[in-house]
DNA sequence: AATATTTGTAACCGACTTATAACCGCTTTA
DNA sequence: TAAAGCGGTTATAAGTCGGTTACAAATATT
């Protein structure tokens, strides 16, 4: 169980994370809204404890952006007397709130209640859509306007995900290798292979909606043809 | 679809009604029991969200009077730790309950579940319903439009419950293991076995109403076919 | 106590995934 | 022009994953 604690008050964040660790959580921290989103994307925590007053990007913004993508449980931290903020937060999709000051015991109770309620289910990583084309990241399926086009293998799916996120840009071969296989895991031949297989699954779809362009000696780039965005 | 929200906590009532409106309901409100009955008589809502602690006339009284006349679906709002109240409320004829604090998403799900089974014979809150299919959690029985399909074992029932609550989403194998057997109790082979057994009880039902999709290396997902929601 | 049901364990098999190597054609370059 | 580099293609083998079957242990039911 991994929890992300977001608070710019370092002392408080420390108390919170200490308590959570004692309750068996792995804890990561962020002290402003931007970093919070980064951490959320890279670490995909099971739970987020979110203060509303934050530098850079406030708690509402963080909440909104996260809810736009998935259902990671969010518990809002708010100071007494700002009931309106709580209401706003809940409207944005937060799952529960805790009013400062609070006792550690109470906090753990709330956290566990939320996890029980939400069902502990690590929500599927969501979908990635460009134009008509959607990649279902958890099922590794590509579809074009709700029509299934191809079922990918996990590696193919990772590769396509990266290419889609950088569409029309050339992604360096080394960068692809790192992102697909991890820092020490791949080589150019494996990438070549993978690109080959991915191509044959997605380029043969109805009238070439997208294709993978090779930039010799550099990398690859995903190109969408019938753009109607 | 018109909903009547009855709560003396204005902030909470606001959250509830906001959420319902977003889900497509027309919402009317009442902040005490007397007004609630008035509104119910004049507006005849399709659904009532009812807090138990109310000025003038408490939730039980409201529930009793409404039930004396018709069976408009009633969902009770209750704070955690007052299970007795919930039981009393259900005995008075309420259709379901929600424990505060709750997430908006959860609330909408409960509301929709209740509305779906309006007209059902046994609107007991121990049932989980999706489309035509109902899972009786206490008796471990699956039925399709009042027709019994299968009798499950306790573990199978637990698994199906989790899958139904997350329908169309991929649920991670580890999450399933945790929820079915508890934190230190299961392994992948046991899950494999359980899925196998559950499948053979529910997939062979009349014309494949639902099936369990495997996402290799990740988890499982429950898919409903003849969607007629 | 006897029987049936439920649950855990192990083994087998086939399908799928993926790493690896070899080959081919093209382009660049010495 | 030959050699070298690059990327596409094909083939293959090892490894993994999940479905299936069978059986034993545990539990519930009679």
């Amino acid at each position: 169980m991994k929890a992300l604690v977001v608070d710019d008050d370092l002392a408080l964040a420390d108390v919170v994370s200490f308590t959570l660790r004692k309750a068996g959580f792995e804890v990561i921290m962020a002290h402003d809204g931007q970093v919070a989103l980064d951490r959320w994307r890279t670490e995909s925590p099971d739970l987020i404890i979110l203060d509303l007053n934050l530098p850079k990007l406030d708690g509402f913004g963080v909440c909104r952006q996260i809810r736009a993508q998935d259902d990671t449980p969010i518990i809002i931290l708010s100071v007494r007397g700002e009931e309106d903020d709580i209401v706003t937060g809940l409207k944005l999709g937060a799952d529960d709130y805790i009013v400062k000051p609070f006792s550690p015991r109470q906090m753990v109770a709330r956290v566990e209640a939320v996890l029980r309620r939400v069902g502990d289910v690590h929500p599927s990583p969501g979908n990635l859509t460009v134009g008509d084309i959607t990649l279902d990241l958890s099922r590794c399926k590509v579809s074009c306007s709700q029509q299934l086009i191809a079922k990918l293998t996990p590696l193919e799916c990772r590769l396509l995900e990266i290419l889609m996120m950088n569409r029309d840009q050339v992604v360096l071969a080394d960068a692809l290798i790192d992102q697909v296989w991890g820092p020490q895991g791949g080589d150019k031949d494996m990438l070549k292979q993978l690109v080959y297989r991915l191509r044959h699954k997605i380029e043969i779809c109805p009238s070439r909606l997208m294709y993978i362009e090779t930039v010799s000696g550099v990398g690859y780039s995903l190109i969408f043809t019938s753009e109607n965005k």
Side-chain angles (χ1 to χ4, degrees), chain A:
Chain A
M1 273 295 158
K2 197 191 288 182
L4 171 60
V5 175
V6 188
D7 199 326
D8 62 329
D9 176 344
L10 299 189
L12 186 61
D14 211 40
V15 175
V16 172
S17 60
F18 177 78
T19 309
L20 287 176
R21 285 209 181 88
K22 225 172 48 179
F25 286 83
E26 180 190 341
V27 179
I28 51 182
M29 301 217 266
H31 302 302
D32 70 65
Q34 292 292 356
V35 174
L37 285 177
D38 283 346
R39 287 284 156 86
W40 166 66
R41 290 205 189 85
T42 55
E43 306 270 353
S44 55
D46 302 290
L47 170 79
I48 298 170
I49 308 271
L50 180 65
D51 188 33
L52 291 177
N53 287 332
L54 291 173
K56 303 257 176 74
L57 173 66
D58 72 7
F60 300 123
V62 175
C63 197
R64 195 178 296 116
Q65 294 214 30
I66 290 177
R67 273 296 168 271
Q69 279 201 253
D70 74 17
D71 297 321
T72 312
I74 297 177
I75 296 181
I76 290 175
L77 281 183
S78 163
V79 291
R80 182 167 304 284
E82 308 201 347
E83 268 64 52
D84 287 354
D85 283 352
I86 294 176
V87 173
T88 309
L90 292 175
K91 283 181 183 172
L92 286 175
D95 296 273
D96 200 355
Y97 60 90
I98 302 178
V99 177
K100 294 188 275 195
F102 53 85
S103 73
R105 201 190 317 288
Q106 183 201 11
M107 189 190 72
V108 172
R110 292 297 261 279
V111 165
E112 286 177 345
V114 165
L115 287 180
R116 216 174 311 129
R117 206 162 60 218
V118 174
D120 163 37
V121 177
H122 211 87
S124 23
N127 294 353
L128 196 56
T129 302
V130 174
D132 285 350
I133 293 160
T134 301
L135 174 62
D136 181 330
L137 294 172
S138 54
R139 294 183 174 80
C140 301
K141 287 177 178 173
V142 193
S143 39
C144 171
S145 25
Q146 276 84 1
Q147 181 94 35
L148 184 76
I149 288 174
K151 165 93 182 67
L152 307 180
T153 70
L155 287 188
E156 287 161 1
C157 184
R158 286 253 304 272
L159 176 61
L160 181 56
E161 179 189 357
I162 298 162
L163 290 175
M164 281 178 78
M165 289 193 307
N166 299 283
R167 61 179 176 129
D168 300 327
Q169 284 179 57
V170 179
V171 186
L172 297 184
D174 288 332
L176 286 173
I177 292 169
D178 275 3
Q179 299 213 50
V180 174
W181 283 274
Q184 51 254 34
D187 69 55
K188 292 209 162 152
D189 281 332
M190 285 156 67
L191 178 60
K192 179 172 65 164
Q193 219 9 259
L194 194 62
V195 168
Y196 172 74
R197 286 195 293 245
L198 180 57
R199 274 191 171 131
H200 282 267
K201 287 194 180 177
I202 66 168
E203 291 188 355
I204 313 179
C205 70
S207 62
R208 272 210 249 314
L209 292 151
M210 56 180 167
Y211 61 94
I212 299 173
E213 185 188 51
T214 303
V215 181
S216 189
V218 183
Y220 297 91
S221 168
L222 188 65
I223 311 283
F224 289 85
T225 52
S226 54
E227 273 297 335
N228 47 341
K229 57 174 182 177

